[in-house]
């Protein structure tokens, strides 16, 4: 099978189908299996991730870090099709607030966008680089961007969104992130005010917004035209309180359990999804649960329970798959 836009068969969704307006296509990502890097012995092998994400019932996935899944489009397309999976997006990191950063960011985007388009994806999720070293926790940049750096970031993201549309026919979705310069709600609002809605939709990651006490519902209601993509995630308020009190870097916060399995944290996901439907938004809603590192048997049961929880919302606009037998089980 060739890896074109029909890399997988039509999804077998559950629940009533929306005939127009709101559309919420629910998926998952390697992140929910503890995958942060292209290659790491602490992570589950990619065939196991694909088998288990399909078994849990998801039919849409992100590519994760470039190089974790096969980068040959034909091979990846065949692996996806064998499991009834489709790709929503690839992911890149940017540092466009720094001078002379365009060429470096664009090279990364080229690899990811090429593969994403080849296997039928429609988005590139763009995450800002963090201001402190993930390993040491030491600051490598100021916590707050000066004005000229904000101008470079906004202009660079407008240029990036337009270039990705023109060169690859894909949309970007900018992902505010903990320990980055666009994390607090005030930063998100400034970013939206200074970027062009034609080229820079927002990937609203509900966990990262709540990480800094932001209001996801408020952002959805006030900026519906900017919500182009969703990451569904919850945080543990008790852990987050400690994280901020002790100024814990994000990777260590994850190891402390800052991200938690729904419905045990915040924000409450059903009201968010109901608001997305009420406003008529057409988005992917990708379940993420930062777990790195984690034992390999931990992710699947969490994914199964989360799939059932989200599927129970009963929204007419929601498209969510059914649990299935994995390809490994079928061959046994």
């Amino acid at each position: 099978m060739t890896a074109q836009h029909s890399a997988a068969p039509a999804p077998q969704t559950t629940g009533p189908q929306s005939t127009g307006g709101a559309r919420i296509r629910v998926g998952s990502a390697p992140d929910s299996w503890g995958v942060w890097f292209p290659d790491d012995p602490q992570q589950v092998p990619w065939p196991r991730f694909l088998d288990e994400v399909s078994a849990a019932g998801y039919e849409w996935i992100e590519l994760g870090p470039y190089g974790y899944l096969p980068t040959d489009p034909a091979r990846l397309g065949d692996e996806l099709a064998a499991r009834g999976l489709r790709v929503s997006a690839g992911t890149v990191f940017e540092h466009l607030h720094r001078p002379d950063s365009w060429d470096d960011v664009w090279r990364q985007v080229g690899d990811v966008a090429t593969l994403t388009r080849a296997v039928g994806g429609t988005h590139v999720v763009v995450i800002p680089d963090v201001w402190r070293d993930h390993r040491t926790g030491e600051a490598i940049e100021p916590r707050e961007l000066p004005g000229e750096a904000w101008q470079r970031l906004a202009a660079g993201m407008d240029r990036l969104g337009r270039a990705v549309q023109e060169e690859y026919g894909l949309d970007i979705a900018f992902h505010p992130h903990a320990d980055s310069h666009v994390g607090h709600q005030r930063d998100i609002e400034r970013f939206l005010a200074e970027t062009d809605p034609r080229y820079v939709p927002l990937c609203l990651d509900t966990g990262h917004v709540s990480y800094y006490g932001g209001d996801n519902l408020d952002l959805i209601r006030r900026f519906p035209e900017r919500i182009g993509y969703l990451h569904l995630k919850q945080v543990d308020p008790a852990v987050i309180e400690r994280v901020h009190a002790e100024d814990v870097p994000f990777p260590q916060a994850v190891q402390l359990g800052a991200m938690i399995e729904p419905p045990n944290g915040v924000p409450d996901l059903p009201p968010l999804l109901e608001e997305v439907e009420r406003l008529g938004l057409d988005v992917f809603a990708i379940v993420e649960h930062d777990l790195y590192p984690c034992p390999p048997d931990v992710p699947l049961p969490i994914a199964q329970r989360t799939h059932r929880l989200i599927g129970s919302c009963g929204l007419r606009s929601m498209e969510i798959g059914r649990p299935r037998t994995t390809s490994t089980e079928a061959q046994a």
Side-chain angles (χ1 to χ4, degrees), residues 21-24 220 224-225 227 275-277 279-283:
R23 187 183 187 195
I24 305 172
I220 293 170
E225 73 285 354
I227 308 300
E275 190 68 12
V276 168
E277 181 175 75
L279 293 171
L281 303 184
D282 181 356
V283 293

Side-chain angles (χ1 to χ4, degrees), residues 50-56 82-83 324-331:
L50 292 181
D51 283 344
E52 292 188 352
V53 72
S54 175
R83 298 166 174 86
R324 65 175 70 211
T325 302
T326 69
S327 61
T328 301
E329 291 170 343
Q331 295 168 8

